[in-house]
């Protein structure tokens, strides 16, 4: 996780910089302008995240041996899974910015509570059966649940024909 965690610095900067610009754009260009901005943000997140994640997806054993030694090659799929978690987390940041900007913040809380509850419900059986791979599966599930919930709410915000 430490290898991919370098993205945390980038994500923290996004959490503080994107909302300011998003609110200015939303005030000026309303929903369509905000949608355009959010899509640009998604593209940026994907590009920056890909710089870290793509090498990990291609050669996780090599990266693990480079940083931690050859004994950790068995955790290649764990590293791949954590990489997927970070991609989803980056996309979720963009979605949260859109939700906050359009005053749908209460849905962030409700979706987070649901995701946490659902993740807790599946965590024990997955971890018991699959060990660390079950933990990673639970993290991926949590991020997918969050992102799906955010996108479900945003669908009504960005519906066609809305100014």
């Amino acid at each position: 996780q430490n290898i991919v965690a370098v993205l945390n610095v980038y994500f923290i900067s996004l959490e503080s910089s994107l909302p300011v610009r998003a609110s200015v754009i939303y005030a000026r260009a309303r929903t369509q302008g905000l949608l355009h901005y959010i899509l640009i943000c998604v593209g940026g997140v994907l590009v920056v995240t890909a710089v870290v994640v793509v090498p990990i997806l291609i050669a996780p054993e090599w990266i693990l041996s480079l940083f931690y030694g050859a004994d950790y090659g068995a955790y290649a799929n764990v590293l791949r899974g954590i990489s997927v978690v970070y991609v989803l987390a980056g996309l979720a940041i963009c979605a949260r910015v859109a939700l906050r900007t359009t005053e749908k913040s209460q849905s962030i809380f409700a979706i987070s509570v649901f995701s946490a509850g659902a993740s807790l419900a599946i965590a024990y059986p997955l971890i018991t059966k699959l060990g660390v791979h079950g933990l990673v599966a639970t993290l991926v599930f949590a991020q997918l649940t969050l992102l799906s919930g955010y996108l479900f709410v945003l669908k009504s915000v960005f519906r066609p024909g809305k100014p």
Side-chain angles (χ1 to χ4, degrees):
Q1 184 180 354
N2 290 338
I3 294 171
V4 191
V6 69
L7 290 170
N8 283 339
V9 175
Y10 175 62
F11 290 166
I12 289 168
S13 71
L14 290 178
E15 290 273 13
S16 59
S17 62
L18 293 182
V20 176
R21 183 87 174 120
S23 62
V24 170
I25 289 170
Y26 185 61
R28 233 181 322 145
R30 302 309 298 164
T31 306
Q32 292 308 310
L34 179 62
L35 177 59
H36 183 260
Y37 177 69
I38 294 299
L39 292 175
I40 290 171
C41 294
V42 165
V45 164
L46 289 175
V47 167
V48 172
T49 305
V51 169
V52 174
V53 168
V54 168
I56 290 170
L57 295 175
I58 293 170
E61 294 89 357
W62 180 79
I63 291 172
L64 284 167
S65 67
L66 179 70
F67 286 100
Y68 300 109
D71 296 341
Y72 288 89
Y75 294 99
N77 286 334
V78 172
L79 186 56
R80 282 186 178 113
I82 294 293
S83 297
V84 170
V85 169
Y86 272 86
V87 171
L88 296 170
L91 295 173
I93 289 170
C94 299
R96 277 194 306 274
V97 167
L99 289 169
R100 287 185 183 114
T101 304
T102 57
E103 300 178 1
K104 301 284 185 195
S105 304
Q106 69 281 4
S107 59
I108 295 172
F109 176 74
I111 293 164
S112 297
V113 168
F114 175 78
S115 176
S119 298
L120 284 172
I122 69 162
Y124 181 76
L126 282 176
I127 293 169
T128 302
K129 292 270 188 204
L130 304 173
V132 70
H133 293 93
L135 176 62
V136 173
T138 302
L139 293 172
V140 170
F141 173 80
Q143 288 300 320
L144 281 172
T145 305
L146 285 171
L147 190 56
S148 297
Y150 296 159
L151 293 175
F152 179 78
V153 174
L154 286 173
K155 187 175 148 187
S156 68
V157 172
F158 293 123
R159 72 178 181 268
K162 191 169 183 179

